[in-house]
Amino acid sequence: MLTVKDLVKTFPGSKGEKGRVRAVDGVTFEVEPGHLYTLLGPSGCGKTTTLRCVAGLEDPDTGVIKVGDTTMFSSNERTKVPANKRGLGMVFQSYAIWPHMNVFKNVSFPLEVADRKGRLGKSEIEQRVGRVLEVVQLDHLASRQATDLSGGQQQRLALARALVMEPPLLLLDEPLSNLDAQLREEMRFELKRLQREMGITAIYVTHDQVEALAMSNRIAVMNGGNIEQIGKPRDIYERPSSKFVAGFIGTTNFLEGRVGRREPGNVYVVSTPTGEIRTRSEADLPVGTDVILSIRPEHIGLAPADTGVPGPNTWRGRVETRAFLGESVDHLVHVGERRLQVRCPTTVSIAPGNDVLLEFPADLTSIIPADR
Amino acid sequence: MAQAAGAGWRATFLDRVDLRRVFTPKVAILAVAMALVGYLAVVPLGYLLWGTFLSEGGTLTLEHFRRAYTSQYALTTLAWNTLLFTVGSAAIAIPLGTALAYLNVRTNVPLKSLVFAASLVPLIIPGILHTIAWIFLASPRIGMINQAVEPLLGEEFFDIFSLAGMALVEGLHVTPLVFLLMVAAFKSMDPSLEESALLSGGKRFTVFRRITLPLVKPGIYAATLIIVVNGMSSFEVPALLGIPDGIWVFTSRIWRVLSGYPSDYGQAGAYALSLLAITTVGVFLQSRLSRRGKSFQTVTGKGFRPRPLELGPWRWPAMGVVVLYFTVAVVLPMFVLFYISTQKFYQPPSWETLSNMTLDNYRYIAEHSQVKRAFRNSFMLGIGSATGVMFMMAIISWIVVRTKVPGRWALDNLSFLPMVVPGLVMGVALLFVYLRAPLPIYGTMWILLIAYFTRYMPYGMRYASTSMYQIGGELEESALVSGATWWQQFRRVTLPLLMPGLIAGWIYIVMVSVRELSSSILLYSPGNEVLSIVIWEQWENGQSNELAALGMVMIALLVVLVTVGAKLGAKVGVKSE
Ligand SMILES: Nc1ncnc2c1ncn2[C@@H]1O[C@H](COP(=O)(O)OP(=O)(O)OP(=O)(O)O)[C@@H](O)[C@H]1O
Ligand SMILES: [Mg+2]
């Protein structure tokens, strides 16, 4: 549905800075129809800039942007479709609700400014707007002034305005970031439901990893103008391909080591200063490569030293502190020189000072080359 | 989807043809607006230079300057008079306007709304009426004040026909401009800065001098600029009060050499260029000063609730200042005008004259066809120029604030340029252009419209760009993404959001256009008289009673206009948090 290839966008640097700011630095990705595709990354990594390039609000330096079969931008073919001819829907971070119009007028605007040829009749416009307002549950507020809406209602209004043209692609720039925590969670499910039921293809920009994991079909993790990794939420979480991705999404334990041996079935034996760990990886890493292991706290098994069975991938350690978090219990465990964070269900709670056995599952321990 | 793809294909195709890309309606509108601003700001000054330095034969010459500065009207005399007059009016307006603003914003002085009214009403009274009223108040022989104080201070105590008198009248009239700027400055100042100084043991006056004044320096610099430019370009006061006693300044000389027969355009150009040069130097010096003042601009911000300073026993003297100003600047002039407008001929007020009032003068102006035409002309020109300026400046400020068009800063400066061009200089420059250019504009109302449009462009730009900065860019971008063309976006999103600012600017420009005299007096022709010209002519013919009646009606109409406009502006104002 959307193809972005080798997209580069630079801005002139401010006074005192040398050269240009490379806000987007060679980004390539593809979005399948019906998917909710998330651009995830820390502040300033170029998410908004990428989205604005797709919308036509920024002119990229180089690259190709295609929606369906239409080339929206291509630096080689010198093609550029202006923003108002792309027919995409966009929800801005600030919502950009027009304060001088009421709810109905805000939504009907895109239909009213359509080309004379494609413009709908008055009654059709009314029907269409009514339908969209119903979908976002604002139909009872149609004649209210837009500035008199609550935060959540404004957010839904912005969504309705973006949807009313029935765009092939919906662009969402941190649509939930202005809402308070509870409303944000509610709207997250609401948005996902709408997107799935209406079969909309959407690009979703956020720096909130929980949001990204909960809503997306695919996630592209961005850093410094580049995409670091693309994958399904679960893959990104369980098999991060770089130290940055592992650290940015969720909490994790890093262990430095070196590939010691390779065994059939893609099994690597990594030796670390604290001991050996066996993991599986699709990557092709020669023996002797410096690597980093990333292990999520909740993937480490924990048992009192006297009850557990020592085996492969099992280390011995001592609990230093523990913290009760409501849904889980966090333990900080000393292993040799290292401290590891281990998250257990509330049924497992071991007092500080006790010896424990730690077990690392081979499938959920990611192996990342040290230079990534 | 198919439709979007179709549109996309067409746009793609068109975009490949470079010419089509260049001549979109957006580019056309922007180009026209930019060209017009450039034309209006630059061409008259170019013609002025050309016409002043070139002789009939087309060679470079200083002959016009030699003729202008004879021993009787030496350059130094004119410059000295202009300087004294300007400095004098600033010395009255700036302390007075600042004090009134401070009292109004930061203290608990009684009768605050009176302060506000007192400070704004003089803005509405046209300068020529204000000056004439002062002649009746303080001319040596017939002045009412002189007659009132005669038993105490002797005959002919006040002489309004002097440099001091001129400075006083001008200063009182421009005090509201200072007041408005300083109100804004005091409002944006965090009062806790003052309070902490008070708590550290400073005396109230010390705090005002050491803390408050330095903090509002940028506001004072801005006020000084306006007052200085205003003093140098002032025409009504030097013409009516200076000429009788032979106190000449540049503006009154320009008028004199052009109103004589035959008109001496070369000499007028020489005076105009000299004045322009002095004004430019003044503005340059001022901008140097205020650049140093910029470092204080950390005082802007919001979130504090200004708590008025307790004046204690000083409340009553403070109120005395306010009442005195109100009396001198508003009550006395308005009373004089009203009184004269009810008399058949001028005589000092007495029980007899006060009980013999007449409406004859009002009847006269209601029936006089020239007066009726002047009303129509003035309001048509005022509304026309205000509407044109505000619309154009909405576009120009959009270019300056929103786009990255190269050279937009030049556009910004060009639209401010006319600000330093005195009205008479603008008049001379436009004469130079349209006496020579083969356009049928001289002798029509169009030349007045062009003059007003050019002169008030800077004010329009100020109002428009201030509001433009307050509108988030995403509001426009979302219209664009919704499929709106540039024009649809501008008309349906940008303009409505700008409207409160545009209306405020519109009211201001209508008001100053209707009072305009100094450009009009050089550019009008019989049949195209505006109100201020009719008043001027009646003054020269000695019809002061009819003139006063006309003035009263004019002021009443302006008050109605401003009130209705302000109400309207409040109504379209977008509700926002
Ligand atoms: N108009 C601009 N001029 C100059 N630099 C810009 C401009 N817009 C963005 N940048 C720079 O480009 C980089 C990427 O900005 P972008 O807005 O895409 O970040 P983001 O990923 O959306 O961040 P956030 O999560 O904070 O919104 C930043 O370093 C930013 O400073
Ligand atoms: Mg962003």
Side-chain angles (χ1 to χ4, degrees):
Chain A
M1 175 53 70
L2 170 71
T3 314
V4 173
K5 242 177 96 186
D6 301 325
L7 190 71
V8 175
K9 171 69 188 168
T10 63
F11 290 108
S14 320
K15 272 187 207 131
E17 282 179 318
K18 281 219 189 88
R20 297 173 70 85
V21 180
R22 298 184 75 83
V24 177
D25 198 2
V27 159
T28 301
F29 62 93
E30 205 159 315
V31 181
E32 283 174 35
H35 270 191
L36 193 146
Y37 194 99
T38 297
L39 298 177
L40 173 68
S43 185
C45 69
K47 310 177 295 278
T48 299
T49 309
T50 308
L51 200 71
R52 288 170 60 85
C53 287
V54 173
L57 295 171
E58 303 278 1
D59 295 342
D61 299 13
T62 55
V64 178
I65 299 170
K66 275 181 163 180
V67 176
D69 297 327
T70 318
T71 304
M72 294 295 181
F73 178 85
S74 165
S75 49
N76 287 338
E77 294 172 35
R78 302 177 56 75
T79 311
K80 196 199 123 193
V81 180
N84 51 7
K85 295 276 191 293
R86 292 196 183 188
L88 308 181
M90 180 158 180
V91 175
F92 289 81
Q93 189 167 359
S94 65
Y95 305 152
I97 301 286
W98 297 306
H100 59 297
M101 302 181 189
N102 64 18
V103 169
F104 182 92
K105 279 279 163 200
N106 260 282
V107 180
S108 64
F109 183 89
L111 302 176
E112 284 169 7
V113 297
D115 273 348
R116 197 139 288 146
K117 258 181 288 159
R119 197 177 298 170
L120 300 175
K122 207 169 167 226
S123 61
E124 266 178 290
I125 290 185
E126 259 169 44
Q127 270 179 16
R128 192 92 158 244
V129 172
R131 226 166 36 229
V132 172
L133 284 178
E134 211 170 301
V135 169
V136 299
Q137 296 164 14
L138 284 179
D139 39 339
H140 59 296
L141 298 177
S143 56
R144 188 172 289 187
Q145 203 60 30
T147 41
D148 295 343
L149 296 183
S150 71
Q153 289 167 337
Q154 288 191 16
Q155 201 272 336
R156 281 181 289 182
L157 174 55
L159 190 64
R161 187 178 61 190
L163 288 176
V164 75
M165 285 185 294
E166 297 174 3
L169 184 65
L170 183 63
L171 309 174
L172 303 153
D173 189 0
E174 313 218 11
L176 304 183
S177 67
N178 278 337
L179 304 178
D180 61 51
Q182 203 173 351
L183 195 55
R184 186 156 39 191
E185 211 154 307
E186 231 169 80
M187 289 303 299
R188 198 187 287 159
F189 287 111
E190 184 66 19
L191 205 58
K192 181 66 193 169
R193 185 183 63 81
L194 274 177
Q195 182 261 334
R196 201 173 11 220
E197 279 176 9
M198 298 175 73
I200 305 164
T201 314
I203 305 191
Y204 190 95
V205 161
T206 182
H207 62 259
D208 183 335
Q209 33 128 348
V210 181
E211 219 166 273
L213 294 173
M215 298 177 66
S216 321
N217 298 96
R218 288 286 182 282
I219 298 179
V221 184
M222 291 187 69
N223 185 25
N226 292 300
I227 293 185
E228 292 253 341
Q229 186 176 359
I230 299 177
K232 295 180 184 158
R234 212 178 170 110
D235 288 343
I236 297 268
Y237 188 77
E238 291 177 354
R239 306 224 141 256
S241 67
S242 71
K243 195 173 171 190
F244 170 80
V245 173
F248 183 71
I249 300 188
T251 37
T252 194
N253 296 292
F254 287 122
L255 290 170
E256 294 83 28
R258 176 169 295 172
V259 177
R261 242 176 317 128
R262 289 180 64 163
E263 289 175 3
N266 280 336
V267 171
Y268 288 80
V269 179
V270 178
S271 50
T272 78
T274 1
E276 276 193 347
I277 288 189
R278 300 164 67 85
T279 99
R280 251 190 287 277
S281 170
E282 308 290 319
D284 182 28
L285 301 166
V287 171
T289 315
D290 283 327
V291 295
I292 293 170
L293 297 172
S294 159
I295 312 155
R296 303 281 177 198
E298 69 273 21
H299 292 158
I300 304 178
L302 191 70
D306 41 4
T307 62
V309 192
N313 268 9
T314 311
W315 290 356
R316 184 180 274 277
R318 174 171 294 166
V319 176
E320 189 179 303
T321 53
R322 90 185 142 170
F324 175 67
L325 299 181
E327 302 155 6
S328 59
V329 181
D330 261 18
H331 297 82
L332 216 53
V333 181
H334 250 284
V335 184
E337 298 289 286
R338 302 293 316 231
R339 262 209 216 116
L340 298 180
Q341 194 181 344
V342 182
R343 188 163 295 165
C344 306
T346 46
T347 48
V348 181
S349 181
I350 301 169
N354 288 318
D355 284 342
V356 287
L357 285 181
L358 300 166
E359 194 192 342
F360 305 102
D363 283 327
L364 295 176
T365 302
S366 318
I367 175 165
I368 301 163
D371 51 12
R372 304 256 339 242
Chain B
M1 181 59 225
Q3 181 198 330
W9 176 84
R10 202 169 61 242
T12 308
F13 177 75
L14 291 184
D15 270 7
R16 273 189 219 164
V17 186
D18 272 346
L19 272 184
R20 289 297 194 88
R21 190 180 198 153
V22 172
F23 290 109
T24 59
K26 169 183 172 183
V27 172
I29 292 171
L30 300 192
V32 167
M34 288 161 88
L36 202 54
V37 168
Y39 173 79
L40 290 175
V42 174
V43 167
L45 296 183
Y47 266 86
L48 182 59
L49 278 173
W50 180 43
T52 309
F53 282 111
L54 284 188
S55 69
E56 301 279 316
T59 50
L60 271 180
T61 176
L62 289 177
E63 162 63 20
H64 301 309
F65 284 88
R66 203 185 49 72
R67 213 152 10 95
Y69 297 116
T70 59
S71 58
Q72 196 191 345
Y73 308 113
L75 175 60
T76 45
T77 318
L78 295 188
W80 183 242
N81 285 344
T82 304
L83 184 76
L84 284 183
F85 171 62
T86 302
V87 170
S89 70
I92 290 166
I94 292 172
L96 196 56
T98 308
L100 288 172
Y102 183 77
L103 289 176
N104 197 41
V105 177
R106 301 285 300 114
T107 73
N108 63 343
V109 67
L111 304 178
K112 272 199 182 177
S113 52
L114 179 70
V115 183
F116 214 83
S119 315
L120 290 183
V121 171
L123 212 55
I124 296 182
I125 306 177
I128 183 169
L129 289 174
H130 187 251
T131 314
I132 290 174
W134 271 96
I135 292 179
F136 283 104
L137 282 171
S139 87
R141 229 147 325 129
I142 58 163
M144 290 179 197
I145 299 181
N146 273 326
Q147 282 163 353
V149 300
E150 197 180 307
L152 277 171
L153 302 169
E155 270 183 28
E156 303 189 6
F157 185 74
F158 292 110
D159 182 4
I160 203 74
F161 299 108
S162 64
L163 262 175
M166 287 160 63
L168 174 76
V169 172
E170 184 72 27
L172 285 177
H173 194 236
V174 294
T175 301
L177 293 178
V178 181
F179 174 79
L180 283 181
L181 282 168
M182 294 313 291
V183 162
F186 283 123
K187 274 198 175 149
S188 67
M189 196 189 79
D190 185 348
S192 68
L193 294 171
E194 273 186 338
E195 283 160 5
S196 57
L198 273 177
L199 289 179
S200 40
K203 284 211 185 64
R204 198 154 289 160
F205 185 69
T206 319
V207 172
F208 181 76
R209 195 169 49 84
R210 300 268 310 267
I211 307 288
T212 317
L213 275 188
L215 281 174
V216 292
K217 246 185 199 165
I220 295 183
Y221 286 142
T224 314
L225 172 70
I226 290 201
I227 299 306
V228 166
V229 169
N230 181 79
M232 295 204 249
S233 14
S234 168
F235 170 65
E236 290 91 329
V237 172
L240 294 182
L241 301 183
I243 295 180
D245 264 17
I247 306 170
W248 291 93
V249 296
F250 292 103
T251 50
S252 47
R253 285 301 302 158
I254 292 176
W255 172 74
R256 175 50 60 87
V257 297
L258 285 178
S259 62
Y261 185 81
S263 303
D264 190 337
Y265 294 106
Q267 243 189 81
Y271 289 130
L273 276 181
S274 315
L275 179 56
L276 194 59
I278 294 176
T279 318
T280 312
V281 170
V283 170
F284 176 73
L285 288 180
Q286 196 278 344
S287 72
R288 290 285 298 266
L289 259 180
S290 57
R291 198 164 327 135
R292 252 187 291 152
K294 280 274 162 53
S295 53
F296 289 110
Q297 270 184 345
T298 47
V299 293
T300 53
K302 46 191 172 203
F304 39 76
R305 208 172 290 121
R307 197 140 45 80
L309 207 68
E310 287 292 330
L311 284 178
W314 289 99
R315 291 180 76 195
W316 306 109
M319 194 184 83
V321 172
V322 171
V323 170
L324 187 67
Y325 171 74
F326 188 64
T327 312
V328 171
V330 180
V331 177
L332 285 179
M334 286 302 292
F335 168 74
V336 165
L337 278 185
F338 172 72
Y339 168 72
I340 298 173
S341 76
T342 61
Q343 300 297 311
K344 278 200 181 326
F345 48 89
Y346 180 73
Q347 46 192 338
S350 63
W351 280 125
E352 201 193 321
T353 60
L354 285 173
S355 49
N356 269 326
M357 293 196 178
T358 164
L359 284 177
D360 282 357
N361 299 313
Y362 290 91
R363 222 165 280 133
Y364 169 84
I365 62 161
E367 285 160 7
H368 203 293
S369 70
Q370 194 207 11
V371 173
K372 278 191 280 190
R373 195 172 56 212
F375 265 108
R376 210 182 50 232
N377 288 348
S378 273
F379 281 90
M380 257 167 51
L381 280 171
I383 290 170
S385 61
T387 311
V389 165
M390 290 322 295
F391 181 71
M392 180 98 139
M393 290 307 121
I395 295 178
I396 297 291
S397 66
W398 188 84
I399 298 177
V400 170
V401 176
R402 282 280 190 274
T403 68
K404 305 208 161 51
V405 177
R408 60 190 187 284
W409 60 269
L411 195 60
D412 198 11
N413 287 348
L414 273 185
S415 62
F416 273 107
L417 182 64
M419 177 106 179
V420 298
V421 182
L424 271 134
V425 176
M426 183 63 75
V428 175
L430 288 176
L431 279 180
F432 275 49
V433 178
Y434 295 106
L435 283 177
R436 283 159 211 231
L439 296 170
I441 283 182
Y442 182 73
T444 67
M445 294 250 286
W446 289 104
I447 196 165
L448 289 175
L449 186 69
I450 291 174
Y452 294 1
F453 196 109
T454 314
R455 286 198 63 197
Y456 301 131
M457 223 159 52
Y459 301 95
M461 182 66 182
R462 239 188 127 118
Y463 279 101
S465 61
T466 311
S467 326
M468 188 68 79
Y469 276 114
Q470 290 167 351
I471 303 176
E474 290 193 345
L475 289 172
E476 290 177 354
E477 286 176 349
S478 57
L480 214 57
V481 175
S482 300
T485 60
W486 178 80
W487 177 239
Q488 285 169 324
Q489 168 233 302
F490 189 75
R491 188 171 54 88
R492 300 194 46 174
V493 174
T494 313
L495 271 185
L497 290 174
L498 280 181
M499 213 31 107
L502 295 186
I503 288 186
W506 188 86
I507 294 173
Y508 183 79
I509 294 179
V510 172
M511 194 169 73
V512 289
S513 302
V514 168
R515 334 185 298 206
E516 214 286 338
L517 174 66
S518 56
S519 291
S520 316
I521 199 159
L522 300 184
L523 300 174
Y524 83 94
S525 44
N528 297 327
E529 296 93 345
V530 290
L531 280 174
S532 51
I533 296 294
V534 172
I535 294 177
W536 175 267
E537 286 181 344
Q538 290 180 332
W539 176 250
E540 294 206 311
N541 298 339
Q543 296 171 282
S544 39
N545 306 84
E546 291 85 352
L547 171 167
L550 175 52
M552 291 304 291
V553 176
M554 186 174 168
I555 293 171
L557 279 179
L558 282 174
V559 169
V560 169
L561 181 89
V562 171
T563 325
V564 169
K567 285 261 156 62
L568 197 71
K571 212 159 145 198
V572 302
V574 171
K575 253 198 300 172
S576 60
E577 285 134 82

